[in-house]
Amino acid sequence: MIVLPAFALTLVLIYLVITGHYQKHWMEDFNVTLRFSEEQAGVGDSLFLYETAVNKKKMNLPAVCVKFGTSKHLAFEGQESGTVSDHFYRNDVMSVDGFQKVRRKLRFTCKKRGLYRIEEAELVSYDMFFVTPFVHRISVEAKICVYPSLISVERLIPLFRSLNGNLPTRVPLFEDSFAYAGVREYTSQDSMRRIHWKASARMGSWQVRTTEYVASTPVVIMLNLESPGVFTQEDLMEESIRLAYSFLYYFSVHGVTTRFVAAGNEKIRLEGDTRQQISSARYALATIAYDHVCCRGEEFVERELPGLHAGDHVILISAAGKKPMQQAVESMIQRVEQVTWVAPLLSGYGEDNEFREVSPAIERCLVKWGG
């Protein structure tokens, strides 16, 4: 009868010794890192989050649970291994033997622009008998910047034509037929008037003249992120940001001198070399917020007026357009060469309220964008 209690006590002691040893040493020479496969991406891109565990000791780790949280706008495949609320909480279990490196690739899709970070992870392990949990928090460093999506050229062509109609010679948004660059093969979309007859005869196939892009008038892109109405209408704000990014991108590609200013939760001002500017603009637009706008639209316009020049072509992107805003834009029309006001109206939100009555000056420069 005495043997059984002694045996049970021995087992308890063995369990306590093994568990105590495991608790003391399981995190020694063991590390987990998280890293995105790219530091930059666009909306809609599919990437990987690399989850790497390295065990540099002899002790086996039969079960380690790696828990971390990130934005729900990074949509991971197999989200059944996590929970989604305002954030997505991932929960992965792995077994790591002694002197082993385990690496997992977690595929996800970028659903919305933004700057996303993972700065902490929680490691949960269990004793050799899977009874007692041990929790350890570690610092990690994983960051990705998701840029806004570009609006396709096909959708922007009507808007480009509207701009081109305002300044047919000073701001050519398409090719300038007087700036000859070279030749290329003829396609069915080319006009017969562009055929280079001598080059075609020499090369034995139809060749057409190509032209360089010419732009001499500086363009100022102003992005106002004051939302019309009482509540912030995210679809309108996101479309405004996409429009600003698309303008910046296409002007940059064609070498147009561009200045960019925006007012959301903070003021953004970018100018300089267009190639460098687009990189800065991507980051700025990815991280901009509009939930608490720093100033009203008319205040934004009035603050920028002193910095505008008579020869500028201003592209104002603003879904907000009540009377004070219209009055500020009329002052801008009197100051600069050309103004084009692009007003995103995705679902007709606020169209009756914001633009029910406009002056002839505003009507001439207003383009309603029903993206």
Side-chain angles (χ1 to χ4, degrees):
M1 296 296 293
I2 300 176
V3 175
L4 289 178
F7 180 71
L9 180 60
T10 302
L11 289 179
V12 170
L13 290 174
I14 293 174
Y15 168 77
L16 292 175
V17 170
I18 293 177
T19 301
H21 180 268
Y22 187 88
Q23 180 179 10
K24 184 177 179 181
H25 297 287
W26 77 278
M27 276 301 300
E28 288 182 1
D29 297 321
F30 176 66
N31 188 35
V32 174
T33 59
L34 300 175
R35 181 177 65 85
F36 291 108
S37 57
E38 301 289 343
E39 294 183 353
Q40 304 171 352
V43 173
D45 289 350
S46 290
L47 303 172
F48 292 97
L49 176 66
Y50 296 126
E51 187 179 81
T52 306
V54 180
N55 186 12
K56 296 181 180 179
K57 60 181 178 295
K58 186 176 181 180
M59 178 190 291
N60 295 338
L61 305 179
V64 177
C65 179
V66 182
K67 300 181 179 182
F68 61 89
T70 187
S71 172
K72 66 179 181 180
H73 301 303
L74 302 181
F76 283 84
E77 290 185 356
Q79 288 192 346
E80 62 275 4
S81 62
T83 58
V84 179
S85 54
D86 288 340
H87 291 78
F88 173 70
Y89 296 94
R90 183 87 189 185
N91 190 351
D92 292 308
V93 180
M94 62 180 69
S95 176
V96 188
D97 294 335
F99 302 108
Q100 185 184 30
K101 178 180 180 179
V102 177
R103 190 189 197 194
R104 290 184 174 176
K105 293 169 61 176
L106 310 176
R107 181 187 289 273
F108 66 93
T109 301
C110 305
K111 294 296 186 181
K112 188 178 180 181
R113 65 172 184 88
L115 182 64
Y116 303 108
R117 290 187 174 93
I118 305 175
E119 298 177 328
E120 184 182 75
E122 185 178 86
L123 307 182
V124 181
S125 187
Y126 293 85
D127 59 39
M128 306 300 289
F129 303 97
F130 292 90
V131 175
T132 305
F134 308 114
V135 180
H136 187 80
R137 287 182 172 83
I138 61 171
S139 297
V140 295
E141 189 174 348
K143 181 176 72 172
I144 185 170
C145 183
V146 180
Y147 302 143
S149 57
L150 282 170
I151 295 172
S152 67
V153 178
E154 290 76 14
R155 288 178 59 201
L156 283 177
I157 281 177
L159 193 49
F160 279 151
R161 285 176 177 163
S162 172
L163 298 174
N164 199 37
N166 289 339
L167 280 176
T169 57
R170 292 177 64 82
V171 183
L173 297 177
F174 302 99
E175 291 178 329
D176 185 339
S177 59
F178 295 100
Y180 175 74
V183 296
R184 60 170 172 78
E185 288 192 5
Y186 171 84
T187 67
S188 58
Q189 285 75 36
D190 292 317
S191 169
M192 294 292 289
R193 291 179 297 178
R194 299 182 61 183
I195 292 179
H196 193 297
W197 300 103
K198 290 183 179 180
S200 299
R202 185 173 64 253
M203 302 181 71
S205 61
W206 293 116
Q207 302 291 314
V208 295
R209 293 180 177 86
T210 61
T211 56
E212 293 179 340
Y213 191 89
V214 176
S216 58
T217 300
V219 175
V220 181
I221 300 173
M222 297 178 61
L223 173 62
N224 172 39
L225 290 173
E226 178 192 4
S227 180
V230 177
F231 302 103
T232 300
Q233 296 166 17
E234 289 196 14
D235 49 0
L236 291 179
M237 299 300 98
E238 290 299 321
E239 188 71 2
S240 297
I241 291 172
R242 282 191 289 268
L243 278 166
Y245 179 43
S246 300
F247 277 127
L248 280 167
Y249 179 82
Y250 292 118
F251 285 139
S252 171
V253 166
H254 293 95
V256 180
T257 302
T258 309
R259 301 201 310 272
F260 174 59
V261 289
N265 60 331
E266 59 181 343
K267 292 282 291 291
I268 296 173
R269 185 182 308 277
L270 300 171
E271 50 188 310
D273 180 77
T274 52
R275 300 291 181 179
Q276 295 178 354
Q277 185 194 57
I278 193 64
S279 177
S280 301
R282 281 173 176 168
Y283 184 86
L285 288 171
T287 58
I288 195 171
Y290 42 74
D291 47 354
H292 299 290
V293 179
C294 64
C295 62
R296 299 185 66 84
E298 58 271 18
E299 296 172 353
F300 171 51
V301 172
E302 290 166 358
R303 289 178 187 177
E304 294 302 321
L305 279 179
L308 299 176
H309 303 95
D312 290 339
H313 186 160
V314 177
I315 299 175
L316 171 65
I317 302 171
S318 175
K322 287 190 171 64
K323 281 299 179 182
M325 181 67 173
Q326 295 181 27
Q327 292 169 359
V329 174
E330 287 180 356
S331 299
M332 184 164 59
I333 292 172
Q334 297 172 8
R335 185 180 182 90
V336 302
E337 183 81 15
Q338 293 288 341
V339 175
T340 301
W341 182 352
V342 183
L345 300 167
L346 284 179
S347 304
Y349 291 145
E351 181 172 0
D352 293 336
N353 295 328
E354 302 290 317
F355 302 102
R356 182 178 299 172
E357 297 180 1
V358 297
S359 67
I362 296 295
E363 188 172 8
R364 282 194 297 270
C365 74
L366 183 63
V367 178
K368 294 180 180 180
W369 173 256

